[in-house]
Structures are given as C-alpha cells and as structure tokens.
Amino acid sequence: MPLNNESERGKAPTVAQRFAGFAECHILYSLISCPVLFALCWIPIDSPFITVGVVVLLLLLYFPLGKLKASFSSWAAPRVLQEKVLAVLLPTIVAWIWVLVVLVSVMSEMSDLFMVVFAGSFLFALPSSLFVVTLFALLPSASFTMGIGVWGLVAGFLPPLLFALGSFVQSEKREKGREWLENG
C-alpha cells in the first residue's frame, strides 16, 4: 500500500517550521560546541591540519544534525524542488545578512561594534565562525574584508545545505522503511 497521506508519511513541515528547526539546532549546536573553541585556543596544536580537520568536522556534523531533527520531528521529505531550495536558501540568506553586518562593523572602524558582532558570531554560529577565521588565517587573501566576505559566504551556505541534506535523507529513509514494512 503506497504512502498516500500526510499522517502515513510523517508531518510535512512548513517552510517556517524547517527554518525554525534549522535555527534551533544551529544555535544549540553552536552553544554546545563552545568547549571546542576553548580547546583550540588553549591546547597547543603544532599542526594547522589538525585545526582545519576539527573545523571541517564541526561543519560536517550539520548533516547528522539534520538527520536527527528530521527523525525526532517526524518530518516528511519535501515533495517539490521549491521546498528543498527554500530549506537551504532562507537560512543561507540570514547567514549572509550576518556576514554583511560583520563587514559593516569592520569597515565602520568602530571597534566596540565589531567586538560585539564578532563575539555574537562565535556564540551563535561557532562552527561557521571558526571556519572563516581558520581559513582567513591559513589562506592569504587580498584584504581583510574580502577574506571575511568570501569565506563568510561559503560558511553561511554550508551549514544550511548539510543540515537540509541530512533532513531530506532521513525523511526519505523513514518513508521507504515504512513502505517496506507495509508492503512486506
């Protein structure tokens, strides 16, 4: 018997629910991963490759985080491309607006504003912020603002993309498992 209604497939989340689910997980994950920041700052690490590995791992963990959220929330998989695009695009736009705020605070030459924005970035978007700072430190760029801008755009895109992919995979897996159980 094919899955033909929402209750059999799981809850079809609205765009707002998917966005809120990402935001909730993103902020909690950032707060929980703060000890990693302290470890990177206080433990002497001889190799930049270890630092990069830890930062990349922090970003890659958005995939299983998306799977967990979809599983716990019983999300149904998106049925149309627009749902999938919006699941990635909306959080990415918010992140890119934050990158713009960081750039404006840098260019305004108001050190107090920059420190508040910079601290907020690490508190509420730690994996992305570590990604930007690590790449900026390791890879030469034309200017400070260009480095933050370019790496900030990448860091703003990766977490929503990986989270959404994880949630899509889990939702599809759940639905296929249910179909298999019903069809034997």
Side-chain angles (χ1 to χ4, degrees), residues 2-77:
L3 300 176
N4 56 8
N5 68 38
E6 187 175 292
S7 65
E8 290 175 344
R9 289 189 321 117
K11 295 177 257 178
T14 64
V15 171
Q17 289 170 327
R18 278 195 191 276
F19 178 80
F22 171 79
E24 169 190 38
C25 290
H26 176 68
I27 291 171
L28 286 173
Y29 177 53
S30 291
L31 294 173
I32 290 169
S33 59
C34 279
V36 173
L37 173 64
F38 296 124
L40 287 175
C41 291
W42 296 108
I43 296 173
I45 298 173
D46 294 333
S47 171
F49 296 112
I50 293 173
T51 303
V52 170
V54 169
V55 170
V56 168
L57 177 64
L58 284 174
L59 283 175
L60 291 176
L61 286 175
Y62 275 96
F63 184 84
L65 190 62
K67 288 181 75 169
L68 283 171
K69 180 61 179 177
S71 180
F72 287 138
S73 299
S74 299
W75 282 352

Side-chain angles (χ1 to χ4, degrees), residues 69-141:
K69 180 61 179 177
S71 180
F72 287 138
S73 299
S74 299
W75 282 352
R79 294 294 176 220
V80 295
L81 180 61
Q82 181 182 6
E83 286 180 65
K84 292 177 181 179
V85 169
L86 288 175
V88 176
L89 187 62
L90 294 179
T92 300
I93 289 171
V94 171
W96 287 349
I97 289 171
W98 187 253
V99 170
L100 184 62
V101 168
V102 171
L103 288 173
V104 167
S105 72
V106 167
M107 291 186 286
S108 71
E109 297 180 9
M110 294 171 41
S111 59
D112 293 341
L113 174 64
F114 174 72
M115 291 309 294
V116 169
V117 170
F118 192 69
S121 294
F122 274 87
L123 186 60
F124 296 113
L126 181 67
S128 300
S129 299
L130 281 176
F131 177 79
V132 171
V133 170
T134 301
L135 287 180
F136 183 74
L138 295 176
L139 301 173
S141 64

